[in-house]
Amino acid sequence: MSLSSFVLRRLPVAGLIVAALGLAGCSQEKKAEVQEVIRPVKIVEIGEAQTTRQLDYSGSVRARTEMNLGFRIAGKVTERLVDIGQHVNAGDVLARVDPSDYELSVKSAKASLDAAERQVETVDLARKRAEQLYAKNFAPKSQLDQAVLTYDQAVATRDAARSTLAQAQNQVRYTDLKASEDGIVTTISADIGQVVGAGTPVMTVAVDGEKEVLIAVPEMDIAGFKPGKDVKASFWSDDALVLDGKVREVAGSADPQSRTFAVRVSLPNDPRVLLGMTANVEATVGSKAQLVSIPLTAMTEKDGKQIVWTVDRASETVHPRPIRVANFTADGVAVADGLKQGDVVVAAGTQFMTENLKIKLSGDAEQQSASASDDVAATSSVR
């Protein structure tokens, strides 16, 4: 057999060997690549369940007493003497309406009173004359009775005229709208040239003295606010300003538009607190359910349900578990059902989790309780 024939016969076998070696090399390379892909995740261990929860609502500072002032008579506003934000004292004139018609009423009432007084004088003379004639038996008793009755009627008419004059004079005084208490003008509802009715609010004055914060509380939390409850009030304008407040009043019915209850919180007298400032009211209330907290990154969705991935320490695998969320907090998510103390949960990297995925625990997980303020976690690896 020639050398060339031997080489031709052995060439396919050599090619197969080379190809096999090449495939083996690729397989090993791919396997090495798979082993090199290690994604770090975080895990937390659920600590003791929370028995209380913190409620935080924002509101505005307002005076405890606010007066909606209006004229006691109808008329056209001719003067407005104050502006919004101006401090007024009791007795200060705030606005005026046109007094012309009421001054004419005073003149008419005075004229009626003068006429009534003259009538009294006239019938008084007639009564006295009748008494003299009756005493001398020159007139019957009936004539005297008639004179006395006429005199009494004239006196009653005069008294009515006096009351009418006093009422007209009062109406002239009512053309001036005066402050009844010291305070700050917060609202002006009518201006010069506007015709207002009797009792129509023209401006609002916040009375000096105690201040309070008005907040709106939904019905799910209103049971935690009772008159006399101690709360904390902080203010956006000054982080260092924190005051002890007390719930003064809780509305007996919900607002028909927002479906929330108005809660008024009394504040101690502090010159740094100004009307209109924004305040946060914090209250601690008992939790109806035993809540545990997890980081927000630990929660995900699967098949339209909210779940977390729990870690089985024995098999070092992860499994999905449905949860029921109570509410979201500054520290994460408060879970009402689905987790208990001692459960280990994947805190980050949940997008890479699958059922029975093998993980490698690098150490014990730190505890995460509902009262924790930071997301603490231990690092592990998944492959």
Side-chain angles (χ1 to χ4, degrees):
M1 180 181 296
S2 64
L3 180 59
S4 59
S5 299
F6 178 80
V7 171
L8 291 175
R9 289 181 180 180
R10 299 301 181 187
L11 183 58
V13 177
L16 292 175
I17 294 174
V18 173
L21 292 174
L23 291 174
C26 291
S27 178
Q28 291 177 356
E29 290 177 0
K30 291 182 180 180
K31 188 173 182 180
E33 290 178 359
V34 172
Q35 291 178 347
E36 290 176 359
V37 178
I38 300 177
R39 299 182 178 91
V41 295
K42 294 181 179 180
I43 58 175
V44 293
E45 181 178 348
I46 304 301
E48 184 179 357
Q50 178 181 335
T51 57
T52 61
R53 58 194 180 109
Q54 199 78 11
L55 300 181
D56 187 355
Y57 292 100
S58 62
S60 59
V61 178
R62 56 192 301 172
R64 176 171 179 173
T65 303
E66 293 184 344
M67 300 183 299
N68 293 319
L69 302 180
F71 291 99
R72 299 173 66 174
I73 57 174
K76 179 180 179 180
V77 179
T78 57
E79 291 183 79
R80 177 172 62 81
L81 306 176
V82 295
D83 296 315
I84 294 178
Q86 183 173 338
H87 188 273
V88 297
N89 297 318
D92 289 350
V93 177
L94 309 180
R96 288 191 176 97
V97 295
D98 187 1
S100 301
D101 293 340
Y102 300 102
E103 290 173 348
L104 291 175
S105 297
V106 171
K107 293 180 180 180
S108 176
K110 284 182 177 180
S112 298
L113 178 59
D114 289 341
E117 288 177 343
R118 302 292 82 77
Q119 181 66 22
V120 170
E121 293 175 358
T122 300
V123 298
D124 186 41
L125 292 175
R127 178 180 63 84
K128 292 179 179 179
R129 180 61 178 170
E131 289 176 349
Q132 292 174 357
L133 293 175
Y134 176 74
K136 296 178 181 181
N137 294 323
F138 291 154
K141 181 70 167 52
S142 59
Q143 186 175 347
L144 174 60
D145 293 341
Q146 182 64 37
V148 172
L149 179 61
T150 302
Y151 173 79
D152 292 341
Q153 289 176 341
V155 171
T157 302
R158 181 197 62 188
D159 293 342
R162 286 177 177 173
S163 297
T164 301
L165 175 60
Q167 185 178 12
Q169 291 172 338
N170 285 339
Q171 288 182 328
V172 172
R173 288 194 292 269
Y174 295 156
T175 58
D176 290 345
L177 179 62
K178 298 181 179 181
S180 57
E181 300 284 348
D182 297 348
I184 297 175
V185 178
T186 58
T187 305
I188 294 179
S189 306
D191 215 329
I192 297 175
Q194 184 173 343
V195 177
V196 296
T200 301
V202 173
M203 58 186 63
T204 302
V205 174
V207 179
D208 290 346
E210 185 178 352
K211 297 181 179 68
E212 63 184 16
V213 179
L214 176 64
I215 60 175
V217 179
E219 58 182 301
M220 67 180 67
D221 294 331
I222 194 60
F225 290 86
K226 300 294 183 183
K229 181 179 179 60
D230 293 327
V231 297
K232 292 287 185 181
S234 57
F235 301 86
W236 291 9
S237 60
D238 187 355
D239 294 337
L241 179 58
V242 180
L243 301 178
D244 293 326
K246 190 179 293 292
V247 176
R248 181 180 69 84
E249 180 183 292
V250 178
S253 61
D255 182 88
Q257 300 296 328
S258 63
R259 305 306 303 166
T260 58
F261 293 81
V263 176
R264 299 177 182 271
V265 177
S266 296
L267 299 177
N269 189 18
D270 193 306
R272 294 174 294 176
V273 179
L274 304 178
L275 297 179
M277 293 177 73
T278 301
N280 284 333
V281 175
E282 298 180 359
T284 302
V285 299
S287 178
K288 297 179 180 178
Q290 296 296 305
L291 304 179
V292 296
S293 179
I294 59 174
L296 183 61
T297 53
M299 188 183 70
T300 185
E301 287 192 3
K302 183 179 181 181
D303 299 329
K305 297 181 179 180
Q306 295 172 327
I307 67 166
V308 295
W309 291 93
T310 58
V311 178
D312 186 344
R313 289 182 180 272
S315 61
E316 296 187 349
T317 56
V318 295
H319 309 277
R321 182 182 297 181
I323 60 173
R324 181 167 62 87
V325 175
N327 62 302
F328 293 88
T329 66
D331 300 327
V333 182
V335 179
D337 188 28
L339 293 174
K340 63 182 183 299
Q341 184 176 359
D343 286 341
V344 179
V345 176
V346 176
T350 55
Q351 65 272 29
F352 304 115
M353 300 296 101
T354 58
E355 174 69 25
N356 288 321
L357 182 67
K358 189 74 174 177
I359 66 170
K360 181 181 179 181
L361 298 176
S362 60
D364 294 334
E366 298 291 338
Q367 285 196 342
Q368 169 78 9
S369 66
S371 59
S373 58
D374 299 319
D375 295 339
V376 291
T379 303
S380 64
S381 300
V382 57
R383 63 182 180 180

